[in-house]
Amino acid sequence: MKLGRLNHIGVATPSIEESISYYRDVMGAGRIRDPFEMEEQGVKVCFVDTPGENGTFGTQIELIEPLGEDSPIHGFLAKNPAGGQHHLCYEVEDIDEARSWFEGLGKRILGPTRIGAHGSPIFFLHPKDMMGQLTEIMETPKDDTHWSN
Amino acid sequence: MKLGRLNHIGVATPSIEESISYYRDVMGAGRIRDPFEMEEQGVKVCFVDTPGENGTFGTQIELIEPLGEDSPIHGFLAKNPAGGQHHLCYEVEDIDEARSWFEGLGKRILGPTRIGAHGSPIFFLHPKDMMGQLTEIMETPKDDTHWSN
C-alpha cells in the first residue's frame, strides 16, 4: 500500500458550535464548512479547512459531536470532557485494495466499508492494531472541488 | 491571527524503531526522515512525510519517544501504553505576534518561545485552554526545503 494524503484529523467536541467559535475567533481559520448530521454514525460533523502549501488544499479538522444516546463519541467524551484528538484519516487510491492489504496483515477492521462524510468509501481500523491510533482509510474523492457545502 | 498550515501531528510512541517499521511496512510511507534526539526537551523524534495535493509537501507525523527519566512523554505513555496522538502543530507567519495574540486571550502558554525540531521558533499552549488539544504554534520555517536530514 502507498500512503496517501492526510485527509483530516478527527477531533471530538462536546459542542460543534463552541468549536466553530474557537477555530474562527481563536485560531483564525479562514473557512469553516456547514455542520451536518450523520444519523447512522451517531454523529454531527463539521469540517474546518487549513491551508496547504502554495495555495493547495490542506489537511482538514473534522469536528465530531455526539448525536443521539447511542453515539460512539459519548465514551470518548466521558474520558475527555473537553474533547480532543479522536482519529486520523489517510487517503488511498483504491479502497478495496487497501482493505485486502490490512486484512492480509491481520489488522482488525471496524465494520464494513461505507460511505463517509466526503461521499467517498471509508473504513476504520482498530487503534490497538495501529500503534494506538484510531485510523480511517478513505478512497481519494474523485471530485477535486472537495465537496463544498 | 490567521491559521496557517497544519505542519505536523505529534504522535507519542514507546519505540520510534517500531513506529518506523509500522509507517514503512504497514502504512506505506514514502519518506521517513532520520531520527534525532532533543535532549533539552527529553525526547527523541522522527518525522514521517505524507504527500500534499499536487505534489506539494503535506502534514508530517512527528514520532516522539521519551528520552531520559524526566521526559514529559512518560506520563502520556503511562496512560496510553501503545502510544497515540499527542499534539497538533500549526504554522503562523510571526511567532511573537501569535504569542501576544494568545496571551491577550488569556490562554496559558507552556514555557518560553524556543527553537523546535524544524529549527524555527515554537511554543505550546495548554490543552485545557484549547478545547482538549495540546497545541504547538510554529513560525513557518524560512527554508522551503523542509530541513532535509
Side-chain angles (χ1 to χ4, degrees), chain A residues 37-146:
Chain A
E37 298 184 353
M38 297 183 73
E39 274 188 41
E40 280 185 25
Q41 318 292 336
V43 292
K44 183 174 171 185
V45 301
C46 174
F47 285 88
V48 178
D49 290 4
T50 73
E53 270 204 328
N54 305 330
T56 58
F57 190 71
T59 294
Q60 286 178 309
I61 304 297
E62 179 186 30
L63 301 170
I64 318 164
E65 181 188 302
L67 183 70
E69 287 181 12
D70 300 329
S71 175
I73 306 300
H74 286 304
F76 184 91
L77 289 175
K79 286 185 197 161
N80 308 277
Q85 293 182 66
H86 180 263
H87 69 268
L88 293 165
C89 176
Y90 293 101
E91 293 180 11
V92 295
E93 281 183 24
D94 184 308
I95 198 78
D96 297 323
E97 206 175 275
R99 193 172 174 108
S100 299
W101 168 257
F102 287 112
E103 277 174 349
L105 291 170
K107 302 293 181 188
R108 278 168 286 182
I109 299 179
L110 304 169
T113 300
R114 53 195 182 275
I115 299 300
H118 289 69
S120 194
I122 61 114
F123 60 82
F124 280 88
L125 290 149
H126 199 298
K128 287 200 176 161
D129 293 346
M130 305 299 279
M131 297 204 75
Q133 298 153 75
L134 177 60
T135 304
E136 181 180 355
I137 302 294
M138 174 196 289
E139 191 166 282
T140 301
K142 298 291 174 277
D143 174 5
D144 67 2
T145 60
H146 305 292

Side-chain angles (χ1 to χ4, degrees), chain A residues 3 6 9 59 88 90, chain B residues 5-11 23 31-34 36 46-52 57-63 87-89 91 117-118 138 141 145-149:
Chain A
L3 185 69
L6 184 58
I9 306 295
T59 294
L88 293 165
Y90 293 101
Chain B
R5 212 168 70 84
L6 184 58
N7 182 283
H8 65 263
I9 306 296
V11 171
Y23 279 97
R31 184 172 186 186
I32 300 175
R33 311 290 179 126
D34 293 334
F36 58 100
C46 174
F47 284 88
V48 178
D49 289 5
T50 74
F57 190 71
T59 294
Q60 288 179 309
I61 305 296
E62 179 187 30
L63 301 170
H87 69 269
L88 293 164
C89 176
E91 293 180 11
H118 290 70
M138 175 197 290
T145 60
H146 306 291
W147 57 276
S148 56
N149 74 6

Side-chain angles (χ1 to χ4, degrees), chain B residues 27-116:
Chain B
M27 296 303 291
R31 184 172 186 186
I32 300 175
R33 311 290 179 126
D34 293 334
F36 58 100
E37 298 184 354
M38 297 183 73
E39 274 188 42
E40 279 184 26
Q41 317 292 334
V43 292
K44 184 175 170 184
V45 302
C46 174
F47 284 88
V48 178
D49 289 5
T50 74
E53 271 204 328
N54 305 329
T56 57
F57 190 71
T59 294
Q60 288 179 309
I61 305 296
E62 179 187 30
L63 301 170
I64 318 164
E65 181 188 302
L67 183 70
E69 287 180 12
D70 299 330
S71 174
I73 305 300
H74 286 305
F76 184 92
L77 289 175
K79 285 185 198 160
N80 309 276
Q85 293 182 67
H86 180 264
H87 69 269
L88 293 164
C89 176
Y90 294 100
E91 293 180 11
V92 294
E93 280 182 25
D94 185 308
I95 198 78
D96 297 324
E97 207 175 275
R99 192 171 174 110
S100 299
W101 169 257
F102 287 111
E103 276 173 350
L105 291 170
K107 304 291 181 188
R108 279 167 286 182
I109 299 179
L110 304 170
T113 300
R114 54 196 182 275
I115 299 300

